């Protein structure tokens, strides 16, 4: 379970963020802080498990960004996502200079919040589970290409947003299921050949995990399942 510290002096906003965190599988709110002093004490207490901080900037008595040098000095492996109404260049530049991993400007939709958490987790998993990297892995970490952008949303020739949405809605309704091309094609009433093209693209986009099974005849059957850490990406195509 990933432990999240919420730093916000507005009790209603803090509670909303806590509820949002609870909706993202694998994340839990371990503590909240309404002042910089409280947040600093939690960060400096190495017995307090914290993996990620959701940090507000505009607080009644404090500037949330003042927590960043405290965090750096503490040398704890804690990442920060800023959640603030501050949209000026100075605050954003300062946040990025201190290594903030994402920046959400209030107000925002839950889908963007979920994307921030799952995208951060994907990068963390990549860093934690590999001892050596390919150049492509480093590019994904540094360039932030784990988040989908307008370019990556463009579909290959022959695929349509309407059919993709139908397929993704079925997958979204069966998040824990493993399925074959034939099973999905029958479920959404499209041809097997067409369905196969969409599944290949979703697998290449790392939204689906592919496994190969061999039957009695030895003919391979490809089966697919949703990669939980990429659930936010799937939801984009359900809209």
């Amino acid at each position: 379970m990933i432990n999240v510290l919420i730093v916000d002096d507005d009790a209603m906003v803090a509670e909303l963020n806590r509820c949002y965190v609870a909706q993202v599988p694998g994340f839990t709110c371990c503590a909240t802080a309404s002042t910089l002093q409280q947040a600093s004490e939690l960060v400096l207490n190495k017995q307090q498990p914290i993996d990620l901080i959701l940090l507000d900037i505009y607080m009644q008595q404090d500037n949330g960004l003042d927590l960043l040098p405290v965090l750096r000095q503490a040398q704890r492996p804690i990442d920060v996502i800023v959640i603030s109404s501050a949209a000026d260049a100075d605050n954003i530049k300062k946040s990025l200079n201190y290594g903030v991993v994402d920046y959400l400007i209030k107000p925002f939709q839950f889908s963007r919040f979920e994307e921030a958490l799952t995208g951060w987790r994907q990068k963390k998993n990549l860093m934690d589970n590999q001892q050596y990297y390919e150049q492509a892995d480093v590019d994904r970490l540094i360039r932030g290409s784990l988040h989908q952008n307008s370019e990556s949303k463009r579909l290959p020739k022959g695929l349509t947003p309407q059919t993709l949405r139908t397929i993704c809605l079925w997958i979204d309704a069966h998040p824990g299921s493993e399925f074959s091309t034939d099973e999905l094609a029958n479920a959404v009433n499209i041809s097997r050949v067409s369905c196969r093209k969409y599944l290949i693209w979703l697998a290449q986009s790392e939204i689906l995990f592919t496994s190969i099974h061999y039957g009695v005849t030895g003919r391979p059957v490809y089966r697919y399942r949703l990669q939980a850490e990429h659930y936010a990406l799937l939801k984009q195509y359900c809209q």
Side-chain angles (χ1 to χ4, degrees):
M1 189 66 69
I2 294 171
N3 295 290
V4 180
L5 167 63
I6 297 174
V7 182
D8 199 306
D9 64 345
D10 187 320
M12 291 184 62
V13 174
E15 176 61 18
L16 176 62
N17 289 339
R18 188 193 68 79
C19 292
Y20 275 179
V21 168
Q23 294 181 53
V24 183
F27 289 80
T28 184
C29 176
C30 62
T32 60
S34 59
T35 67
L36 195 64
Q37 178 64 32
Q38 292 176 354
S40 298
E41 290 175 356
L42 289 167
V43 167
L44 295 173
N45 178 12
K46 295 187 177 182
Q47 301 303 313
Q48 172 68 52
I50 303 173
D51 302 300
L52 180 66
I53 296 175
L54 304 183
L55 178 64
D56 188 21
I57 293 180
Y58 294 147
M59 305 174 72
Q60 290 184 359
Q61 300 177 355
D62 305 304
N63 183 324
L65 295 184
D66 290 338
L67 180 64
L68 299 179
V70 175
L71 181 60
R72 177 173 289 183
Q73 185 176 7
Q75 297 184 346
R76 293 192 63 184
I78 302 173
D79 287 320
V80 176
I81 294 176
V82 169
I83 299 180
S84 175
S85 59
D88 60 287
D90 288 342
N91 276 308
I92 292 176
K93 287 179 181 178
K94 185 175 181 180
S95 299
L96 296 178
N97 287 338
Y98 268 102
V100 165
V101 298
D102 210 336
Y103 197 111
L104 275 64
I105 299 175
K106 300 176 183 177
F108 53 86
Q109 295 182 339
F110 172 72
S111 59
R112 179 63 180 89
F113 180 93
E114 184 179 34
E115 179 187 350
L117 267 62
T118 55
W120 168 82
R121 178 172 58 191
Q122 186 180 353
K123 287 186 177 182
K124 184 178 185 299
N125 288 341
L126 180 59
M127 290 187 291
D128 290 348
N129 297 325
Q130 288 189 219
Q131 186 175 3
Y132 300 98
Y133 295 84
E134 300 290 340
Q135 182 64 53
D137 297 327
V138 178
D139 291 344
R140 292 168 67 194
L141 289 171
I142 295 177
R143 297 177 184 175
S145 59
L146 297 176
H147 291 295
Q148 287 222 329
N149 51 39
S150 58
E151 292 296 324
S152 61
K153 283 187 176 183
R154 294 179 181 174
L155 298 178
K157 185 177 180 179
L159 304 188
T160 67
Q162 295 80 8
T163 302
L164 176 63
R165 180 175 183 271
T166 299
I167 289 174
C168 289
L169 283 171
W170 187 92
I171 296 172
D172 184 33
H174 306 81
S177 300
E178 187 178 76
F179 51 90
S180 68
T181 303
D182 288 341
E183 290 167 349
L184 180 57
N186 291 332
V188 299
N189 196 29
I190 64 175
S191 72
R192 183 186 185 282
V193 173
S194 179
C195 184
R196 172 75 172 149
K197 292 179 181 178
Y198 287 91
L199 291 176
I200 290 174
W201 185 80
L202 287 169
Q204 290 174 343
S205 300
E206 300 183 352
I207 294 174
L208 296 181
F209 174 79
T210 307
S211 59
I212 302 176
H213 300 259
Y214 292 90
V216 177
T217 62
R219 181 179 179 182
V221 175
Y222 292 88
R223 299 190 67 82
Y224 304 87
R225 60 177 171 81
L226 174 65
Q227 298 207 61
E229 62 269 25
H230 296 167
Y231 180 67
L233 302 183
L234 175 81
K235 293 292 288 186
Q236 293 183 20
Y237 297 108
C238 294
Q239 299 172 0

